[in-house]
Amino acid sequence: MADKQQQVVVKRARHKSSVKDPGTPGVLKMTKDRFTFMANDPSSPVKLNVEFRTIKGHKFTKDGTKQALLNLTQDQGGNYIFEFENFPDRNVCKDFVASAIALSGEAGRTVPEKSAVPIQDEQLSAAEMERRIKLLQEDSDLQKLHKQFVIGGILSEAEFWATRKKLLEQNYSRRPKQRVALKNDMWSTKPLADGQSNRVTFNLTPEIILQIFAEKPAVRQAYLNFVPNKMTEKEFWTKYSRAEYLHSTKNVIAAAAEAAEDEELAVFLKQDDMLVNEARKKIRQVDPTLDMEADEGDDYMHLPIQDHGLPRNDNKDVLDSQYEPYRRSFSQHLNQHAAVVLQGRVIDVELGDTRSVAEALARTKHAELAKDASDVYLDKERLERISRMTEIEDLQAPRDPAVAPLSIKDPRDYFDSQQANAFSTLGDTVSGAKQLKCSVSTREAYCSLKECISEIKFQGLTEPTINSEVAFKVLNGLAQNISSNKYHLGRNPNESILDSLPKITREELLLHWSSIQELLKHFWSSYPITTKYLLTKATKLKDAMSQIYPKLQEIKESVQSDLRHQVSLLVQPMLQSSVFMDQAFCCRL
Amino acid sequence: MSPPVPSKILTDDVSLLMVLIDSNPHFWSSIKPHFSFSKFLSHVLAFLNSILLLNQLNQVVVIATGINSCGYVFDSSSGSVSQRAESLLPKLEEFAENDESLSERDDDSGNGVGSSLLSGSLSMALCYIQRVFRSGPLHPQPRIICLHGSPDGPGQYVAIMNSIFSAQRSMVPIDSCVIGIQHSAFLQQASYITGGVYLKPQQLDGLFQYLATVFATDLHSRNFLQLPKPVGVDFRASCFCHKNTIDMGFICSVCLSIFCKHQKKCSTCGSIFGQAQTRDPSASQQRK
């Protein structure tokens, strides 16, 4: 960025307090982070030394006006106006200022990260650094972890990124975001007609040229053929514009007359055969079960005189058939335009050079054609589609039953283990299990079972099956159960305790969880401790872990009393892990 | 089997209900003062009849879970006319005889109630359901309901978990209605994993009401009905070596088999475990 530019710019300028002020002459010197102005006259009070960080914007007068001014605006409203001797000088300063402002703006943001990414033992390329910074900027969780460990000095940069190579690579190869689509407004055939003279001006920009080439393959082909052999580009477009003008006047007879005279013009005025072929091909790819009677009219071009049902005045319709090819229908044009816009940009070429655009489009179209022609499977695919749409269910062979896909659960679902809850409900009954003794022998047991069955067989079912009071009690109990569960567990049965905590607490807990995981990962990877480096690393990790311990206690205390028990259950494994780590570290010797 | 069902009538709420009845005689004699088998049967029969009344195309199949065997005792779609549930009684008697004859010896000891063969009846139910799946594109929506009371047998842990996972894969919910004294960890897990309902009725003489309110709901209606949910699920497993219920143990990293003690070799997959590197047993994991 700034490498290409000069580091320092020195120019003669006048500092003005306002535009009308004649100003004090002096020398303006600009470096990357500040600019200074020294007046020629040593006694003058005007001395400036301003950092670019405070400058938020710059304004300038246009080239060719009376004064070459550059106005640097500050955030609080102050500004510095400089007048230069000539425009080139001013432009050099202007460019320098622009890049300096951009750099200082970025520096404000990236200064903390830049200082946090010290180049230690690794040779990091600038691209790598940029990638890391970008990744940190995007993922705030990652940034917090990074801040905690790398800036806290617990882990080194290399270790932190060692396990995250995949993330970096992914980021790197990501494509740029949205691209601008083609414009939807059709090139207006209402040219700027100058009321006084008989001139009609058409404006053609590279965008418009791209769209013309995309919509009208005949024009593109003509361009490739005629330019630069038969005529220059300007002549080509003049002729094209003339053709458009003729079309806009809807004077078919005049169009025919001119086409007869000028061969090249005729190309623009006649129907587009290439378009016709394309349309035919598209029709063939329509769903085969859709009943379409395909005939000549299905190529946009050969349409009955009654233009898509829009009634026209009958007296105009009786025209000689020789004029038929020169008739153009607006709806055809609109359809083709819509199809092109929806397809979007198919080529990636710079729009400046018309010829290359035309060639690129031609190449794409050729490639498509070639693919279709050589696609042996196209017919086969069509047949398959037909058979799929018209299948008769009764004649199908039995298909394998549907199965649920393998579901790998997110470990966070089990984060709050409900095991302790289950224990508390089971606890009173676990002891009860032992009490269930069967003091009867097997034979007797079976006997009583069979007796019961025959009892029912002979007596039939009891009437009523169930006592109404009992039924009422049961229903009440169920309703209470369901509503109290809803109250405690929330509507969603899978809603966890985490969600019922305030957001900050939740974030903190999750952050602690992920930091503990990170610490444990690095801790166990440094085992067995054989070198001094590993020892220091393990010590650092252990200390960091012991710091998290009191923080977790704090969180436990800060939670509401009714949630405290559940939160302590959540936090317990985290506390245990810190204890284990301590023990492991002590036992290593 | 059943005659082909015309497609127009097979609506969303047609269900195939597989009912697994616990016929463990030890359990029933131990619970005798509170609830008798005959009362239980009367509630269940009324429930089955009402299921058959809910929709003409509903099917009910009853499997009895004994201590030595399991067997089909009722199939509503067998025969030309849909049968009433009472016709299961003679078959049930037969089954009890058969089960008794399979007992090894006259067990007078009688300490503790043995467990019934839940894994066997679950497997039978799933096989029947698979057959229904393959019978054609149109079939009622199957679900399994276990009316169970016997305690869990840790020795059946592996088989039951396998049935649960295959039920989950075929998208067949397993509902559980526990009529025993204690909760059943296996059935809790089964209902949790397959998306069924687990209920332990507080009042056993109102069993029919529980069945009709909660378990008669078909799968389509469950999308917009609120059914009781258990407060917690006991996810404990049994170790593969001694079949004890454990909550902390060793796990083979190849096949995930669970052991309560440190082993040299995995008995399921045969992989050999290395020596422990550090004092801290890093192979120990807390099973949630």
Side-chain angles (χ1 to χ4, degrees):
Chain A
M1 253 192 330
D3 297 331
K4 295 194 193 144
Q5 282 202 346
Q6 305 157 314
Q7 301 294 336
V8 176
V9 168
V10 181
K11 293 278 178 234
R12 262 191 233 283
R14 278 170 176 269
H15 174 256
K16 301 158 95 107
S17 51
S18 72
V19 180
K20 295 221 184 343
D21 180 22
T24 30
V27 174
L28 174 67
K29 180 169 161 184
M30 290 200 270
T31 57
K32 245 194 301 198
D33 50 354
R34 62 178 65 244
F35 68 90
T36 59
F37 180 78
M38 300 283 279
N40 289 338
D41 185 6
S43 61
S44 159
V46 180
K47 266 202 203 23
L48 296 173
N49 188 344
V50 184
E51 287 191 26
F52 274 118
R53 238 182 323 126
T54 58
I55 303 289
K56 292 302 166 205
H58 63 293
K59 296 189 220 161
F60 48 90
T61 53
K62 263 194 177 164
D63 284 6
T65 52
K66 281 177 261 178
Q67 294 172 317
L69 293 180
L70 180 62
N71 185 355
L72 302 172
T73 50
Q74 278 187 314
D75 209 8
Q76 294 88 356
N79 56 359
Y80 304 98
I81 307 180
F82 294 102
E83 184 187 354
F84 294 87
E85 287 167 8
N86 49 38
F87 282 99
D89 270 357
R90 198 279 311 271
N91 288 341
V92 166
C93 287
K94 174 182 76 142
D95 293 334
F96 191 82
V97 162
S99 63
I101 291 177
L103 197 64
S104 62
E106 260 189 40
R109 260 180 297 145
T110 57
V111 151
E113 272 102 356
K114 276 210 149 73
S115 67
V117 186
I119 305 178
Q120 284 179 338
D121 319 321
E122 314 170 84
Q123 297 292 341
L124 285 175
S125 66
E128 176 79 23
M129 289 266 283
E130 245 184 73
R131 258 187 271 159
R132 287 187 185 179
I133 292 172
K134 202 163 100 175
L135 197 59
L136 284 175
Q137 274 174 348
E138 283 169 14
D139 189 354
S140 68
D141 284 336
L142 196 63
Q143 191 176 32
K144 280 190 219 157
L145 274 180
H146 185 263
K147 202 162 71 165
Q148 196 179 354
F149 292 134
V150 179
I151 300 181
I154 302 174
L155 287 175
S156 79
E157 190 65 32
E159 284 163 357
F160 185 77
W161 289 108
T163 47
R164 294 188 165 88
K165 284 208 172 70
K166 218 174 173 188
L167 276 179
L168 287 172
E169 275 161 35
Q170 252 179 15
N171 224 6
Y172 189 54
S173 57
R174 216 189 287 176
R175 303 233 68 214
K177 307 118 198 164
Q178 284 183 324
R179 297 178 289 173
V180 180
L182 293 173
K183 274 217 183 109
N184 193 19
D185 50 338
M186 293 166 68
W187 182 43
S188 152
T189 52
K190 276 203 176 39
L192 302 156
D194 212 338
Q196 288 129 4
S197 64
N198 263 344
R199 306 188 93 214
V200 173
T201 326
F202 285 82
N203 246 341
L204 281 173
T205 64
E207 263 299 310
I208 295 181
I209 291 180
L210 171 67
Q211 270 195 279
I212 292 176
F213 280 163
E215 284 175 34
K216 300 178 188 162
V219 174
R220 183 183 73 226
Q221 193 60 41
Y223 182 87
L224 288 171
N225 291 342
F226 296 160
V227 174
N229 309 331
K230 286 200 191 160
M231 57 175 91
T232 63
E233 191 169 336
K234 188 144 182 238
E235 283 174 24
F236 179 83
W237 289 119
T238 320
K239 285 223 170 131
Y240 178 75
S241 314
R242 177 136 192 89
E244 284 297 313
Y245 179 69
L246 283 171
H247 275 300
S248 74
T249 58
K250 295 207 196 327
N251 195 342
V252 184
I253 302 173
E258 287 223 19
E261 283 175 16
D262 191 352
E263 196 188 284
E264 280 112 27
L265 199 60
V267 175
F268 299 135
L269 292 170
K270 275 218 205 110
Q271 311 273 7
D272 195 343
D273 276 327
M274 293 172 72
L275 208 56
V276 165
N277 285 336
E278 272 181 33
R280 282 222 185 90
K281 210 178 283 14
K282 279 191 216 167
I283 300 274
R284 244 178 265 137
Q285 288 173 353
V286 173
D287 189 355
T289 58
L290 189 61
D291 185 12
M292 286 179 72
E293 199 183 283
D295 59 3
E296 255 198 5
D298 284 330
D299 52 10
Y300 302 159
M301 296 303 170
H302 300 102
L303 284 167
I305 293 173
Q306 191 115 34
D307 196 356
H308 288 292
L310 297 170
R312 289 168 139 231
N313 288 341
D314 286 340
N315 47 6
K316 277 201 193 159
D317 289 342
V318 184
L319 269 184
D320 222 345
S321 62
Q322 74 178 87
Y323 299 126
E324 203 47 49
Y326 302 104
R327 180 186 290 284
R328 183 105 64 86
S329 153
F330 176 67
S331 49
Q332 289 164 2
H333 191 41
L334 184 64
N335 279 338
Q336 173 62 4
H337 171 79
V340 166
V341 168
L342 285 173
Q343 197 181 22
R345 285 178 196 277
V346 278
I347 56 171
D348 261 335
V349 186
E350 281 290 318
L351 288 181
D353 185 14
T354 323
R355 185 159 186 96
S356 58
V357 168
E359 279 173 353
L361 273 172
R363 264 201 303 266
T364 340
K365 285 284 165 8
H366 272 294
E368 269 180 33
L369 275 173
K371 192 179 79 138
D372 282 343
S374 68
D375 211 348
V376 191
Y377 296 108
L378 201 65
D379 271 340
K380 197 171 161 198
E381 206 192 292
R382 268 188 85 240
L383 284 174
E384 256 179 63
R385 278 175 79 189
I386 294 177
S387 64
R388 227 184 314 141
M389 311 236 63
T390 55
E391 73 181 9
I392 304 173
E393 277 174 0
D394 294 347
L395 298 177
Q396 295 297 318
R399 259 178 266 180
D400 278 335
V403 287
L406 179 66
S407 78
I408 306 230
K409 299 259 184 195
D410 184 13
R412 285 195 179 188
D413 279 348
Y414 294 97
F415 184 79
D416 42 346
S417 83
Q418 295 163 308
Q419 181 186 346
N421 283 345
F423 263 121
S424 60
T425 51
L426 288 176
D428 44 350
T429 51
V430 161
S431 48
K434 305 256 169 53
Q435 289 166 13
L436 196 69
K437 280 196 189 301
C438 173
S439 50
V440 189
S441 76
T442 316
R443 190 184 307 172
E444 281 171 20
Y446 273 110
C447 259
S448 71
L449 198 77
K450 282 184 271 186
E451 259 174 42
C452 291
I453 298 174
S454 29
E455 192 188 314
I456 299 258
K457 250 184 11 183
F458 293 124
Q459 290 178 11
L461 301 179
T462 51
E463 184 87 30
T465 316
I466 182 172
N467 196 348
S468 59
E469 284 161 6
V470 176
F472 186 64
K473 258 207 257 178
V474 166
L475 280 174
N476 265 343
L478 276 177
Q480 245 182 10
N481 186 11
I482 294 174
S483 62
S484 73
N485 271 352
K486 215 165 96 164
Y487 177 71
H488 284 309
L489 293 184
R491 229 165 245 159
N492 187 357
N494 297 326
E495 195 181 88
S496 63
I497 298 168
L498 273 183
D499 295 329
S500 56
L501 291 172
K503 196 160 175 234
I504 305 176
T505 321
R506 181 167 170 264
E507 294 291 316
E508 267 180 38
L509 271 177
L510 286 175
L511 179 65
H512 285 308
W513 178 253
S514 44
S515 15
I516 288 180
Q517 277 187 328
E518 186 78 16
L519 285 171
L520 281 173
K521 204 165 46 165
H522 285 279
F523 185 71
W524 289 118
S525 70
S526 62
Y527 261 74
I529 300 186
T530 46
T531 70
K532 188 155 192 285
Y533 166 71
L534 287 173
L535 183 65
T536 47
K537 183 170 164 195
T539 325
K540 270 197 275 187
L541 291 169
K542 184 180 82 79
D543 292 333
M545 180 71 105
S546 50
Q547 277 170 14
I548 297 185
Y549 190 91
K551 285 193 208 154
L552 287 173
Q553 298 283 56
E554 228 181 78
I555 291 180
K556 249 179 29 180
E557 254 106 69
S558 69
V559 171
Q560 278 177 317
S561 58
D562 51 345
L563 293 173
R564 200 165 290 175
H565 176 61
Q566 284 148 337
V567 171
S568 59
L569 288 174
L570 277 185
V571 164
Q572 203 196 8
M574 295 199 259
L575 295 172
Q576 270 185 343
S577 59
S578 71
V579 168
F580 279 149
M581 203 200 233
D582 275 344
Q583 285 181 349
F585 190 67
C586 298
C587 293
R588 80 198 181 281
L589 301 163
Chain B
M1 239 201 70
S2 57
V5 176
S7 59
K8 286 184 285 234
I9 316 177
L10 208 68
T11 51
D12 291 339
D13 54 349
V14 175
S15 36
L16 161 63
L17 194 62
M18 311 290 302
V19 185
L20 311 184
I21 294 187
D22 190 359
S23 321
N24 183 351
H26 296 289
F27 163 70
W28 284 112
S29 45
S30 66
I31 208 173
K32 208 157 191 182
H34 310 284
F35 196 49
S36 73
F37 192 57
S38 47
K39 274 203 222 140
F40 169 73
L41 273 183
S42 60
H43 286 276
V44 171
L45 290 175
F47 169 65
L48 295 178
N49 279 331
S50 40
I51 291 281
L52 291 169
L53 280 174
L54 273 177
N55 190 313
Q56 207 178 13
L57 298 171
N58 276 349
Q59 291 177 31
V60 172
V61 175
V62 181
I63 300 176
T65 316
I67 48 178
N68 297 312
S69 61
C70 312
Y72 294 99
V73 292
F74 176 68
D75 185 348
S76 71
S77 53
S78 65
S80 53
V81 178
S82 198
Q83 307 181 333
R84 282 180 63 113
E86 288 80 4
S87 56
L88 74 82
L89 291 168
K91 288 236 187 98
L92 191 58
E93 219 171 350
E94 244 180 76
F95 170 78
E97 290 265 359
N98 202 5
D99 205 36
E100 185 179 8
S101 64
L102 288 172
S103 305
E104 284 176 346
R105 56 193 163 84
D106 203 14
D107 202 350
D108 270 337
S109 53
N111 51 342
V113 179
S115 58
S116 52
L117 292 178
L118 181 61
S119 55
S121 45
L122 270 178
S123 315
M124 287 172 78
L126 287 168
C127 286
Y128 190 94
I129 291 175
Q130 277 298 313
R131 190 156 61 119
V132 168
F133 277 156
R134 283 161 220 266
S135 65
L138 303 164
H139 50 76
Q141 289 179 318
R143 66 184 193 273
I144 301 178
I145 162 170
C146 292
L147 298 164
H148 203 69
S150 318
D152 290 335
Q156 298 178 33
Y157 174 73
V158 178
I160 290 187
M161 287 314 284
N162 284 338
S163 332
I164 294 175
F165 290 135
S166 66
Q168 181 195 27
R169 191 152 188 268
S170 323
M171 297 185 283
V172 172
I174 299 181
D175 299 331
S176 327
C177 180
V178 175
I179 41 188
I181 308 286
Q182 69 273 34
H183 284 275
S184 157
F186 291 165
L187 286 178
Q188 274 183 345
Q189 291 193 39
S191 301
Y192 179 84
I193 292 176
T194 56
V197 179
Y198 176 88
L199 183 67
K200 184 169 184 308
Q202 302 295 316
Q203 286 179 285
L204 284 175
D205 47 353
L207 181 65
F208 173 75
Q209 187 63 59
Y210 285 105
L211 291 174
T213 314
V214 178
F215 295 103
T217 54
D218 58 275
L219 296 181
H220 178 70
S221 313
R222 286 184 191 192
N223 293 333
F224 38 84
L225 288 175
Q226 290 214 346
L227 297 173
K229 294 181 262 277
V231 184
V233 183
D234 181 7
F235 282 114
R236 286 176 302 165
S238 340
C239 69
F240 284 36
C241 41
H242 307 107
K243 313 293 181 195
N244 301 328
T245 313
I246 57 171
D247 44 317
M248 206 188 303
F250 295 80
I251 298 188
C252 168
S253 43
V254 174
C255 63
L256 300 182
S257 328
I258 306 165
F259 303 102
C260 53
K261 291 204 197 89
H262 180 64
Q263 308 239 346
K264 288 251 167 33
K265 192 171 115 148
C266 172
S267 54
T268 323
C269 66
S271 26
I272 301 177
F273 300 136
Q275 292 291 325
Q277 292 284 344
T278 60
R279 292 282 175 75
D280 191 18
S282 47
S284 117
Q285 288 194 21
Q286 186 165 8
R287 179 123 160 79
K288 284 201 176 167

